Amino acid sequence: MAELVFGIASIPGVIDVCVKAGKALFQACDTYREADAALGEMIVRIQMCLARILSQLEVAKELESTLTTEHKDLQKRVLDILLAKLEVITQRVARLTKPTRLGTAKKLKITFLKDALEESIEELESWQRLYEPSWFCWIKLASPAVEIALTNAIHTGPQAASNFNRVARNFRRAFNEPGSESQTVFIRKEGLDGYTETTIPFYSATVAVAPNNSQRLVVDVVASGAGRDKDVRDFARRLRQSDPFVSGLLSCKGVVRHADKAGFSFLFRVPEGYTVIRSLRQLLLSGQMHHSLSDRFEMARQLANAVYYVHLYGFVHKNIRPETILCLGKTDEGGLPSTSCLVGFHVIRNADGMTYPVIDRSWETDLYKHPLRQGNHVDYFVMQHDIYSLGVCLLEIGMWEPFVIYDSPEGAAQRSNALCVAKDELEFFDASALKDHLVALSRSSVLTAKMGTKYSKVVEMCLTCLDEGNMYFGDQQEFQDEDGVSVGVRYIEKVLGALNGISL
């Protein structure tokens, strides 16, 4: 089946072949739907995943005319990967679904089929994680006709696909200019009356819990000077219906202006049922480990994904560090919280594409900034500066040791031994030397022994993203699409794709 792709020039043609292969897999799975309860659940998972994928592909057929040459090339390569996976999965299932009369043999075959289906689910979900970031980019850039395609998919598709397409339509509409009747994003402080606020250790935000535990909000304080009212309003409006499980960004309920005009607070909604809210810094300091190394890789993927969506929404973050990464969990889950989201947006992109400079001279924040943006530098930020910060965080996540330690949540920050830097060494106070030291750590066995070579390469790529010798990120023009939003096809391939391709 895969050989047919080489003779198909158009994206719709490739999609038609993928859809046909997906439907064939549906049929192959039906053979054992009633054979075993656990097997039936796995088949449902596969079919839900396929339904979502096939729905996305049908919408993608409407986008070809709006894509750049580079985007088309990326989509074809990604679709080729899907087709190859569908073919392998279908053959794998077909080999195991031949009927047998022997009871023992049948039970053994079901066991093998469970393993095959679990592997198939992982492969489909892995492909979906690779495809979705570029798909959302295309949704944003497409002609207005894409709204019709999304609306049709919402009304005609199965529920899992309909809900996802509704998220996509909300994302698309976030970039529409608001009408005069649009609801304001600014909320009076009295709107939080009756809420109980608790601090988030090692971060300035608080969690506000509504009466009867009906709602939880992250109250994220932003200093004065981070942006004009218009920019703050645009940021809050775009994230009003953000889905944290897709973008890694909490939806924004609104903004509260401080009475003393010394800043404002974003109010971010915590997903229903998530009552455990901890900063990544708190997790690193706790010494508690993930139940599985896979969970740590998933945390890294979620963080890298969130960085992508910040820029897809049209902003820079500038403040990515473990204190501004929230990890959410449910009380009954046990272990470390499983869902990671970015908060701490301390700089807002304004209308001309630049950002307001906010100076922070503390070493513990400089540690996560590129040398060109540390200390007294008040220049403007681009996506590569956030990618560098991501690299430092990925290094820390991979080592699972905090670079910054505190005697108490309110105490002064101190360097930890995990940085492998002596207190009297000058390199810690030299921005360029510190960067070189972090790059060396990313190449060392300190990281590779824990996370492997592929992960280490991603960390190194992020840390060197502004180096002239970096063939993927060195040229800033590579990250400018026609709308001036720093997203970058290469980030999808070289960072998200590489992390997504790591399997244990």
Side-chain angles (χ1 to χ4, degrees):
M1 187 184 301
E3 64 273 9
L4 295 176
V5 175
F6 298 109
I8 301 173
S10 68
I11 290 175
V14 179
I15 289 175
D16 286 340
V17 177
C18 289
V19 170
K20 182 178 179 181
K23 290 179 178 178
L25 180 56
F26 260 95
Q27 185 175 359
C29 288
D30 276 340
T31 304
Y32 270 71
R33 178 186 292 274
E34 306 297 334
D36 179 87
L39 195 61
E41 291 178 6
M42 296 175 73
I43 289 174
V44 169
R45 285 178 61 194
I46 278 196
Q47 293 187 331
M48 288 179 64
C49 190
L50 279 171
R52 184 162 154 176
I53 288 174
L54 296 180
S55 179
Q56 285 178 277
L57 294 181
E58 291 294 346
V59 173
K61 288 173 67 174
E62 307 296 327
L63 306 180
E64 183 180 27
S65 62
T66 66
L67 302 183
T68 65
T69 301
E70 190 172 18
H71 280 134
K72 287 181 180 179
D73 182 58
L74 173 62
Q75 178 150 212
K76 284 186 177 180
R77 293 199 303 275
V78 174
L79 289 173
D80 285 348
I81 293 172
L82 173 62
L83 189 59
K85 286 183 180 292
L86 290 174
E87 186 175 20
V88 169
I89 294 171
T90 301
Q91 291 176 352
R92 182 187 298 151
V93 173
R95 285 196 302 268
L96 293 168
T97 53
K98 295 178 181 179
T100 178
R101 295 181 180 179
L102 299 177
T104 302
K106 184 174 181 180
K107 291 180 180 179
L108 183 62
K109 185 170 289 188
I110 289 177
T111 300
F112 282 129
L113 183 56
K114 287 179 181 177
D115 292 339
L117 289 180
E118 189 63 48
E119 184 178 358
S120 300
I121 291 169
E122 291 176 1
E123 290 180 357
L124 288 175
E125 291 178 345
S126 172
W127 182 86
Q128 199 164 29
R129 288 194 299 267
L130 174 64
Y131 184 63
E132 282 182 3
S134 57
W135 188 78
F136 271 93
C137 179
W138 300 326
I139 291 295
K140 175 184 174 181
L141 299 178
S143 68
V146 73
E147 284 223 26
I148 299 175
L150 288 170
T151 300
N152 289 338
I154 290 170
H155 293 309
T156 61
Q159 184 174 354
S162 295
N163 291 341
F164 181 76
N165 284 307
R166 189 172 286 107
V167 170
R169 188 176 65 178
N170 289 338
F171 169 79
R172 162 85 181 186
R173 290 178 174 177
F175 297 93
N176 296 337
E177 287 296 325
S180 58
E181 72 285 354
S182 295
Q183 180 183 357
T184 179
V185 300
F186 291 102
I187 298 173
R188 296 173 62 88
K189 192 177 187 307
E190 291 76 12
L192 293 178
D193 287 350
Y195 280 71
T196 303
E197 290 195 41
T198 58
T199 60
I200 299 176
F202 308 104
Y203 185 51
S204 60
T206 61
V207 177
V209 183
N212 302 320
N213 291 324
S214 57
Q215 184 183 51
R216 281 175 168 77
L217 299 173
V218 172
V219 183
D220 201 4
V221 180
V222 181
S224 177
R228 301 172 304 184
D229 277 1
K230 179 183 184 303
D231 307 314
V232 171
R233 182 175 63 248
D234 288 347
F235 178 85
R237 184 175 56 80
R238 288 188 183 179
L239 267 65
R240 177 171 280 168
Q241 297 193 68
S242 173
D243 186 330
F245 302 108
V246 172
S247 66
L249 306 175
L250 299 172
S251 67
C252 187
K253 178 182 176 68
V255 183
V256 173
R257 288 192 182 95
H258 295 175
D260 55 5
K261 297 185 179 179
F264 48 87
S265 295
F266 288 113
L267 306 182
F268 293 110
R269 299 182 183 91
V270 177
E272 186 177 352
Y274 286 79
T275 57
V276 180
I277 304 171
R278 303 169 72 183
S279 68
L280 175 58
R281 175 66 67 214
Q282 186 180 3
L283 296 185
L284 290 166
L285 289 169
S286 73
Q288 187 178 1
M289 304 291 289
H290 290 96
H291 288 326
S292 167
L293 189 58
S294 298
D295 295 334
R296 198 185 307 174
F297 277 112
E298 181 59 24
M299 174 180 285
R301 292 188 191 102
Q302 289 178 8
L303 175 57
N305 196 54
V307 171
Y308 170 80
Y309 278 97
V310 168
H311 293 273
L312 191 57
Y313 271 108
F315 305 103
V316 290
H317 192 286
K318 191 189 173 182
N319 193 33
I320 299 171
R321 51 196 176 96
E323 285 78 1
T324 62
I325 300 166
L326 294 187
C327 303
L328 314 179
K330 298 181 178 180
T331 305
D332 58 354
E333 281 183 336
L336 297 182
S338 58
T339 300
S340 300
C341 297
L342 265 180
V343 292
F345 301 90
H346 284 186
V347 67
I348 308 299
R349 182 184 301 274
N350 67 9
D352 61 8
M354 303 301 285
T355 57
Y356 290 95
V358 178
I359 303 175
D360 186 343
R361 297 183 177 91
S362 60
W363 73 264
E364 65 268 25
T365 56
D366 272 355
L367 174 62
Y368 298 91
K369 295 177 183 176
H370 189 272
L372 297 177
R373 296 299 177 268
Q374 290 187 19
N376 293 324
H377 291 287
V378 292
D379 210 340
Y380 298 98
F381 275 62
V382 293
M383 183 180 187
Q384 288 94 322
H385 297 124
D386 278 349
I387 294 175
Y388 177 86
S389 301
L390 169 67
V392 183
C393 291
L394 291 180
L395 177 60
E396 202 165 359
I397 289 171
M399 295 171 62
W400 202 248
E401 295 183 65
F403 290 164
V404 180
I405 58 176
Y406 301 84
D407 291 333
S408 68
E410 296 78 25
Q414 304 173 47
R415 281 170 283 162
S416 80
N417 294 331
L419 273 172
C420 304
V421 178
K423 291 184 178 180
D424 58 348
E425 286 187 6
L426 179 62
E427 66 174 349
F428 189 81
F429 302 99
D430 180 273
S432 296
L434 175 59
K435 169 184 170 292
D436 293 340
H437 177 70
L438 294 175
V439 172
L441 276 180
S442 75
R443 296 169 176 167
S444 72
S445 59
V446 173
L447 181 63
T448 56
K450 293 182 177 180
M451 302 295 281
T453 302
K454 290 182 179 179
Y455 184 92
S456 300
K457 289 291 185 183
V458 173
V459 176
E460 179 184 350
M461 187 184 306
C462 293
L463 292 174
T464 60
C465 66
L466 279 165
D467 291 4
E468 290 184 4
N470 189 304
M471 62 182 294
Y472 301 117
F473 301 113
D475 185 356
Q476 292 187 18
Q477 292 184 353
E478 293 283 357
F479 285 77
Q480 299 299 320
D481 64 27
E482 61 191 31
D483 288 342
V485 181
S486 299
V487 287
V489 169
R490 292 191 180 183
Y491 183 82
I492 297 173
E493 289 194 280
K494 303 305 179 183
V495 178
L496 297 181
L499 288 174
N500 193 53
I502 298 174
S503 58
L504 300 178

